[in-house]
Amino acid sequence: ARVRFPSFFLLTLALMAEGALAGYLLSQVKRPDSLLFRSLVLGVLILTFLYPVRAATKLYDRVPRYRAEAAAWDARDEFIRQAVAEGATDLVVIQLDTVAGVQEYKGDETFWVNSCAAGYYGLRSLRAP
């Protein structure tokens, strides 16, 4: 996903420039005052507003799943912090499902995510079988 970021950025800039140029060109054209023209413009505006609304509803449908995942991550984080406070140095935690390509803890304590998390929490090792 990080590799595609520059291309999406350039695409967005190009679309913004295209929209600005189209707006400038349309401002130079003498607009007819007919009802058909106004209806056409209104129809195009309505269509351009529908896509963001559709995208928002699709995103809103995912909110319950993301809330549940966040609650599970918070519960696991609290468990780890409590274990560290009680003096644990080697910890085994539950493995959660991957969401949106985010790496999760694995059974191998040398896995890079496990090593980074162990260092973050001040543990010697952390794994999730």
Side-chain angles (χ1 to χ4, degrees):
R2 287 182 285 160
V3 174
R4 291 188 303 240
F5 182 77
S7 62
F8 283 131
F9 180 73
L10 289 175
L11 176 66
T12 303
L13 283 179
L15 289 174
M16 289 172 58
E18 184 178 319
L21 288 173
Y24 176 75
L25 289 174
L26 286 174
S27 70
Q28 303 302 316
V29 175
K30 184 174 185 313
R31 295 180 301 269
D33 289 332
S34 71
L35 182 63
L36 177 66
F37 179 75
R38 289 178 187 224
S39 299
L40 181 66
V41 169
L42 183 62
V44 169
L45 284 175
I46 289 172
L47 287 176
T48 59
F49 285 121
L50 288 180
Y51 184 76
V53 170
R54 179 181 159 267
T57 57
K58 289 179 76 173
L59 183 63
Y60 187 72
D61 291 341
R62 297 178 190 164
V63 168
R65 176 178 175 225
Y66 289 155
R67 279 189 183 153
E69 292 293 336
W73 283 336
D74 289 344
R76 185 174 62 182
D77 176 67
E78 183 61 33
F79 171 77
I80 295 170
R81 290 180 189 276
Q82 185 177 8
V84 169
E86 293 172 359
T89 57
D90 298 303
L91 197 58
V92 177
V93 297
I94 60 170
Q95 186 177 32
L96 301 175
D97 293 332
T98 299
V99 176
V102 175
Q103 290 286 331
E104 267 297 324
Y105 305 143
K106 304 286 183 203
D108 181 15
E109 62 189 42
T110 61
F111 182 58
W112 71 272
V113 174
N114 295 20
S115 298
C116 291
Y120 174 77
Y121 287 112
L123 295 166
R124 189 171 48 202
S125 70
L126 176 69
R127 62 187 183 93

